[in-house]
Amino acid sequence: MAQVSLFPVQLIDRKGCFNDGGLDHFVRATKLANHGVSYAVVTVMGPQSSVFFLLLTVNREKYSIESSFWSKVYRDGCSEGRSQTTQGIWIEKCAGIVPFTIAMDLEGTDGSERGEDDTAFEKQSALFALAIADVVLINMWCHDIGREHAANKPLLKMVFQVMMRLFKPRKTTLLFVIRDKTKTPLEKLDQTLRREIQKIWDAVPKSEAHKSTPLSEFFNVEVTVLSSYEEKEEQFKEQVAELRQRFFNSISPGRLAGDGQRLVPASGFALSAQQIWKVIKENKDLDLPAHKVMVATVQCEEIANEKLRLFSADKALVALVEAIKVGPVPGFGKELSSILDTYRSGYDMETIYFDEGVRTAKGQHLESKALDFVHPAYSVMLGHLRSKAFDSFKTRLEQLLNKGEAFAASDRTCYHSCMLEFDQGCADAAIRQANWDASKVREKLRRFIDAHTLSVRNAKLSEIIANYEKKLNVSLIKPLESLFEDGSEDTWPSVRRLLKHETEAAVLELSNVIAGFRLDPATSDKMVQNLRSYARNVVEEKAREEAGKVLIRMKKRFSAVFKYEKDSMPRHWTQKEDIRTVLKDAQSASLRLLSVMAAIRLDVKPDKIENLLFSSLMDGTVAVSSTRDRSIGASADPLASSTWEEVYPKDMLITPVQCKSLWTQFRAETECVVTEAILAQEIHKLCNNRPAPTPTPTPPKAAASTLSTVTGIVSLGIGVTNFITNLM
């Protein structure tokens, strides 16, 4: 058997003051909070000097009535008449009774100490007892049963009246203990007592909701008897022992407290009792369901706050949070979920007997707060996973591209691989209790990958384009120099053929290469078109460059035709050579070169540049024909223009007026070559026409010959000048 509890605690004094400290001490000392809902509260009510509190608290096997504190009270009550032995409300743990049973003794209801009109405390204590007790033990004297003015009548009336102040009454057991039983059979006493109880119940004013409610819905009525202690002490003690046994396992179904509904678990008993008394003292109706929720709210919140405090300081959690700052932690979600489970389970265990709705809501709030606490760590974890997956993507893509793999296929392979890696990491980091969505971080990773892919793709494409542009430069520049230097009628057709051949070859290679990038048709077409445009620009730029050298090329062409035979042998200016014809051929070749370089002819479109140049410059129709024409301002010079007919301005290399100027400069700079040729031919002629020398020339004849030669040379010079003028 367990030892007797600590000394009884006065829960409420005679002035109605609640002993908060005493109750807290009682709860701690008896470890009441550890009993969940496995506890019962028994309230003793009735006439003064009933001392039934003693019957429940004294362990008769280890303690005798005479040796206990209560023996004096008991003797005083039995031998010295009725007096108020209990003032206020006292509680004590019932020794040796299972489950944990709290005995509550109320101040007697028939004493004179408070006065006849001072019934407020009695009503308050009765309401308090009904609100928290599972069993209300009502002590009655046997001789009062059936008497109209017996002490039990006001007591029962008060009990029923205060019951109406409960918003939702509990089904409480009323155990009537009939003291000093007479010879009247128990059955007769039971029937009489129940009739009186029903009569009192029917007479008590009730609310509309309970007017037709039977007594059985509010109370279980039990009746027992005790013999007189003074006359039948041994029998009295045996009956007390039997009564005591009825409180063992009292909360089991069918037992004394088995039909009642537990208001609050043991851990909330102190708060519940305190708040119930406060409401009663304020003379308010007692809403038990709301009270139950209130107690559950306060207690569950306190437990939740304590669990949250312990959770935030958990060593394993702190270590995990610190580790995540450095890098990703494998098993992050599983470990964190386990820690959360530990504290949530602890909360659930401690609040299991409180109102389900409240404890569930507070448990969810605890979980929410705990998740809020660890969410930053979870976000850091996702950041690590995103960075790791992104770095992996960049490395893998670079490796595949370095191996020569197609860009699109490599990108797709790396994307799926890294996204799978990220998703697996998120699954590993997922906290079971949370419903956090990693889609935003995943989307951010996708944007990073897309941006990097675009950057790498653009860089690769730029590199490819640069390579093909370089190839086009190499394949076009030298051949173009040769073609433009040739300056023949076939120059531009050859340029077009060269451009088409090299461009198509480059475009074909480019198309094959960029096919691996899986570009959209518009982008592919634009790249191909840009390459074609680049090739054309190379030709156009080279043409402009070569057009700047046209005068040099014309003079070089002139020299090649004028000074050399067709077999490239130097021309000897004998009398057989027709300088006029050779000069015309040389000038024609040079003028043709000028016409070739006058405009870009990449589009097959005929023009009249060559005809206009020859008709104007070779046929001598450039100058204004008469003074009359000049006087009226009309110019007959077709080269006095800055544009060519049928030639786009963008395709012009040398304007008509520039051609005229170049031709004038060309003639001036080639005049000396013609002069040399004429002089050489005349000298050759003079030398071939001179008579053979005589063996002994006479001095006079020699002098005459010399004079004749000098005169011929002078005349020759004059004639050359006139000849060149006519030729040019």
Side-chain angles (χ1 to χ4, degrees):
M1 287 287 185
Q3 297 293 322
V4 178
S5 69
L6 297 178
F7 196 78
V9 174
Q10 187 177 35
L11 183 63
I12 301 172
D13 66 17
R14 61 183 302 170
K15 295 181 180 180
C17 297
F18 196 91
N19 186 3
D20 298 343
L23 180 57
D24 290 339
H25 176 69
F26 173 81
V27 170
R28 289 195 304 271
T30 59
K31 299 181 179 179
L32 171 60
N34 298 336
H35 291 273
V37 292
S38 296
Y39 78 102
V41 179
V42 180
T43 301
V44 181
M45 300 175 63
Q48 294 184 26
S49 304
S50 64
V51 292
F52 268 89
F53 193 59
L54 171 67
L55 303 179
L56 298 176
T57 58
V58 175
N59 183 336
R60 296 193 315 116
E61 294 186 8
K62 284 185 176 281
Y63 299 89
S64 64
I65 290 178
E66 289 75 11
S67 64
S68 73
F69 164 80
W70 290 101
S71 63
K72 178 181 184 298
V73 179
Y74 184 82
R75 287 193 302 270
D76 291 345
C78 293
S79 61
E80 298 179 9
R82 297 180 184 180
S83 62
Q84 192 177 48
T85 57
T86 301
Q87 295 183 349
I89 300 175
W90 290 71
I91 62 170
E92 186 172 11
K93 174 185 176 183
C94 293
I97 293 180
V98 178
F100 189 107
T101 301
I102 300 172
M104 181 183 299
D105 191 18
L106 271 62
E107 184 175 299
T109 58
D110 61 346
S112 59
E113 285 80 353
R114 286 188 176 269
E116 294 181 0
D117 297 327
D118 190 9
T119 61
F121 183 81
E122 293 177 1
K123 290 182 179 181
Q124 290 172 348
S125 60
L127 180 58
F128 179 74
L130 289 173
I132 67 174
D134 302 291
V135 179
V136 177
L137 194 153
I138 300 177
N139 180 44
M140 298 182 64
W141 299 108
C142 185
H143 55 74
D144 281 344
I145 297 176
R147 292 172 56 191
E148 188 64 30
H149 301 288
N152 62 306
K153 295 289 183 71
L155 172 62
L156 288 175
K157 185 177 180 181
M158 179 178 63
V159 168
F160 294 155
Q161 285 176 340
V162 298
M163 179 63 81
M164 295 298 101
R165 291 183 59 188
L166 300 180
F167 186 86
K168 183 180 179 182
R170 304 166 62 212
K171 193 165 186 179
T172 307
T173 296
L174 297 180
L175 177 56
F176 290 88
V177 180
I178 302 174
R179 294 286 304 277
D180 295 350
K181 180 183 176 299
T182 62
K183 293 180 181 182
T184 305
L186 176 60
E187 293 77 7
K188 183 68 174 177
L189 294 174
D190 187 285
Q191 292 175 2
T192 303
L193 180 59
R194 289 181 185 274
R195 282 198 302 270
E196 291 181 357
I197 293 172
Q198 186 64 49
K199 185 177 180 180
I200 296 171
W201 172 258
D202 293 338
V204 170
K206 304 178 185 67
S207 64
E208 289 295 327
H210 295 299
K211 275 190 175 181
S212 59
T213 303
L215 176 68
S216 58
E217 287 194 13
F218 284 80
F219 299 102
N220 288 327
V221 178
E222 298 283 342
V223 179
T224 189
V225 295
L226 291 177
S227 299
S228 171
Y229 175 78
E230 295 179 353
E231 298 175 0
K232 300 177 181 180
E233 181 178 352
E234 292 302 322
Q235 188 176 2
F236 173 84
K237 291 180 179 179
E238 290 176 2
Q239 291 170 342
V240 168
E242 291 175 1
L243 175 60
R244 178 181 170 83
Q245 286 298 316
R246 297 188 66 179
F247 289 92
F248 281 84
N249 301 316
S250 61
I251 62 175
S252 299
R255 305 284 290 180
L256 283 177
D259 295 336
Q261 296 180 354
R262 172 62 53 224
L263 186 61
V264 293
S267 58
F269 175 79
L271 176 63
S272 176
Q274 182 182 11
Q275 292 300 317
I276 286 175
W277 183 249
K278 179 181 178 183
V279 172
I280 292 172
K281 284 288 290 181
E282 292 173 355
N283 198 28
K284 298 178 181 178
D285 287 343
L286 189 58
D287 186 346
L288 289 184
H291 172 79
K292 181 179 179 180
V293 170
M294 182 278 298
V295 174
T297 300
V298 174
Q299 292 294 106
C300 290
E301 188 167 334
E302 288 183 358
I303 295 171
N305 289 339
E306 178 63 13
K307 294 300 178 185
L308 183 62
R309 184 188 68 80
L310 295 174
F311 171 79
S312 61
D314 186 273
K315 292 182 179 179
L317 176 62
V318 172
L320 187 64
V321 171
E322 289 300 317
I324 206 67
K325 294 178 181 178
V326 180
V329 177
F332 173 84
K334 183 178 181 180
E335 185 173 353
L336 194 49
S337 296
S338 176
I339 297 173
L340 281 166
D341 267 346
T342 299
Y343 288 94
R344 178 57 193 267
S345 297
Y347 166 85
D348 290 339
M349 288 293 293
E350 293 186 32
T351 61
I352 189 171
Y353 300 115
F354 285 103
D355 180 82
E356 182 176 1
V358 174
R359 68 184 180 88
T360 300
K362 292 298 180 180
Q364 291 173 346
H365 186 66
L366 164 64
E367 202 167 85
S368 176
K369 287 290 186 181
L371 290 174
D372 288 344
F373 182 79
V374 300
H375 188 268
Y378 174 77
S379 298
V380 172
M381 179 68 180
L382 291 189
H384 288 317
L385 293 175
R386 186 200 69 222
S387 298
K388 183 181 178 183
F390 184 52
D391 291 342
S392 178
F393 173 83
K394 292 190 290 185
T395 302
R396 292 178 185 178
L397 181 62
E398 184 178 2
Q399 291 173 346
L400 289 178
L401 294 179
N402 289 339
K403 291 179 180 179
E405 298 292 334
F407 182 87
S410 300
D411 173 55
R412 185 171 58 255
T413 299
C414 294
Y415 175 82
H416 289 305
S417 174
C418 294
M419 280 301 183
L420 178 61
E421 177 185 341
F422 176 78
D423 291 340
Q424 290 174 343
C426 287
D428 181 68
I431 299 171
R432 185 174 63 258
Q433 296 84 347
N435 189 27
W436 291 333
D437 185 8
S439 60
K440 289 185 178 180
V441 181
R442 194 179 195 276
E443 177 62 20
K444 188 174 184 179
L445 171 62
R446 188 194 63 77
R447 292 199 304 269
F448 280 13
I449 289 177
D450 287 348
H452 181 72
T453 298
L454 182 61
S455 175
V456 173
R457 189 191 72 174
N458 290 343
K460 291 292 181 182
L461 290 175
S462 297
E463 183 181 346
I464 291 170
I465 292 297
N467 288 336
Y468 280 99
E469 289 177 351
K470 184 177 180 181
K471 287 182 179 180
L472 282 173
N473 276 322
V474 172
S475 62
L476 289 175
I477 294 299
K478 291 298 182 182
L480 285 173
E481 287 180 357
S482 178
L483 290 172
F484 288 135
E485 187 175 4
D486 179 62
S488 65
E489 294 180 355
D490 193 48
T491 292
W492 282 109
S494 297
V495 169
R496 289 194 292 269
R497 288 193 295 272
L498 173 66
L499 175 62
K500 181 178 180 181
H501 177 270
E502 297 301 331
T503 301
E504 293 304 322
V507 165
L508 180 61
E509 290 184 21
L510 175 65
S511 298
N512 291 333
V513 171
I514 65 176
F517 287 81
R518 296 192 178 182
L519 304 173
D520 59 273
T523 303
S524 299
D525 292 344
K526 185 177 181 180
M527 290 183 65
V528 169
Q529 185 57 42
N530 287 343
L531 188 61
R532 292 182 185 277
S533 299
Y534 179 82
R536 185 183 179 103
N537 288 337
V538 169
V539 174
E540 292 177 352
E541 290 301 317
K542 190 61 180 175
R544 290 186 176 89
E545 180 185 339
E546 295 300 319
K549 304 175 184 177
V550 67
L551 182 60
I552 297 174
R553 294 277 172 79
M554 288 171 65
K555 291 190 294 183
K556 185 178 179 181
R557 178 66 52 83
F558 178 84
S559 296
V561 175
F562 190 78
K563 291 182 177 182
Y564 296 92
E565 301 286 350
K566 292 182 179 180
D567 58 0
S568 299
M569 295 299 293
R571 191 184 298 276
H572 296 288
W573 296 107
T574 64
Q575 291 180 353
K576 296 179 180 179
E577 298 290 341
D578 185 354
I579 292 180
R580 185 181 296 273
T581 301
V582 174
L583 177 61
K584 186 174 182 179
D585 290 342
Q587 287 180 337
S588 296
S590 299
L591 190 57
R592 186 170 291 107
L593 178 61
L594 178 61
S595 69
V596 167
M597 299 307 300
I600 296 172
R601 298 176 177 87
L602 292 180
D603 299 318
V604 182
K605 182 180 179 182
D607 60 66
K608 301 176 182 179
I609 294 176
E610 184 175 350
N611 292 337
L612 186 60
L613 288 177
F614 272 85
S615 63
S616 299
L617 300 179
M618 290 295 293
D619 297 342
T621 59
V622 173
V624 176
S625 59
S626 67
T627 305
R628 178 177 174 277
D629 292 331
R630 289 194 299 270
S631 66
I632 62 176
S635 174
D637 187 358
L639 298 182
S641 173
S642 59
T643 59
W644 297 105
E645 292 183 7
E646 302 175 350
V647 175
Y648 294 117
K650 67 180 183 66
D651 290 335
M652 285 196 306
L653 298 176
I654 306 172
T655 64
V657 71
Q658 288 173 335
C659 286
K660 180 179 178 181
S661 176
L662 284 169
W663 185 251
T664 301
Q665 186 177 355
F666 165 76
R667 289 182 60 183
E669 293 181 5
T670 58
E671 184 175 349
C672 62
V673 177
V674 178
T675 301
E676 290 175 357
I678 295 173
L679 286 174
Q681 190 179 53
E682 289 299 319
I683 291 172
H684 182 272
K685 181 179 179 182
L686 288 174
C687 291
N688 288 336
N689 293 335
R690 188 175 57 184
T694 59
T696 54
T698 60
K701 290 183 178 179
S705 176
T706 301
L707 179 61
S708 175
T709 301
V710 172
T711 302
I713 292 173
V714 172
S715 299
L716 176 63
I718 296 171
V720 168
T721 301
N722 294 331
F723 180 73
I724 291 174
T725 301
N726 293 330
L727 286 179
M728 302 297 283

